[in-house]
Amino acid sequence: NDLVSRVGGIYSARQNLVTTVLDTATTTLQVTTGITNGQSASVNITEIGMFLFAILTGVSTSSVPFSTLLAYDGIVSTPVPAGGVIAPRYTMDFPM
């Protein structure tokens, strides 16, 4: 489930997950996370993905962590210099 060329590790965005709408009709979650280019040179970003990290419990006698690609987007090539930040935002709407 890796993207074509992952730059660095998978960032944790748990602290950036907010509920923007929560009522009897809809629940809307939004994630915005700044991702730093940790490479020593500029990179051109052409794809961004959001991974879901979970831990399955009750499997045998231990917990089993895993990550899976939840959302993927190809974007117009965007240059990000070494040490620069790109900040994608995902909004997920769940009608009730």
Side-chain angles (χ1 to χ4, degrees):
N1 289 333
D2 285 344
L3 301 177
V4 172
S5 179
R6 191 180 332 165
V7 177
I10 297 174
Y11 277 63
S12 173
R14 180 174 32 194
Q15 69 278 8
N16 300 328
L17 175 65
V18 295
T19 304
T20 57
V21 177
L22 179 59
D23 59 31
T24 57
T26 253
T27 298
T28 302
L29 305 174
Q30 190 173 84
V31 179
T32 305
T33 298
I35 301 170
T36 302
N37 174 10
Q39 303 296 308
S40 60
S42 179
V43 295
N44 289 317
I45 305 297
T46 58
E47 56 184 359
I48 294 176
M50 180 172 62
F51 289 81
L52 170 67
F53 178 78
I55 298 175
L56 295 177
T57 57
V59 178
S60 300
T61 58
S62 62
S63 298
V64 180
F66 71 95
S67 60
T68 188
L69 187 61
L70 183 63
Y72 169 85
D73 288 290
I75 61 173
V76 173
S77 185
T78 303
V80 179
V85 177
I86 188 168
R89 174 181 293 168
Y90 279 97
T91 301
M92 296 162 285
D93 189 42
F94 301 97
M96 301 297 188

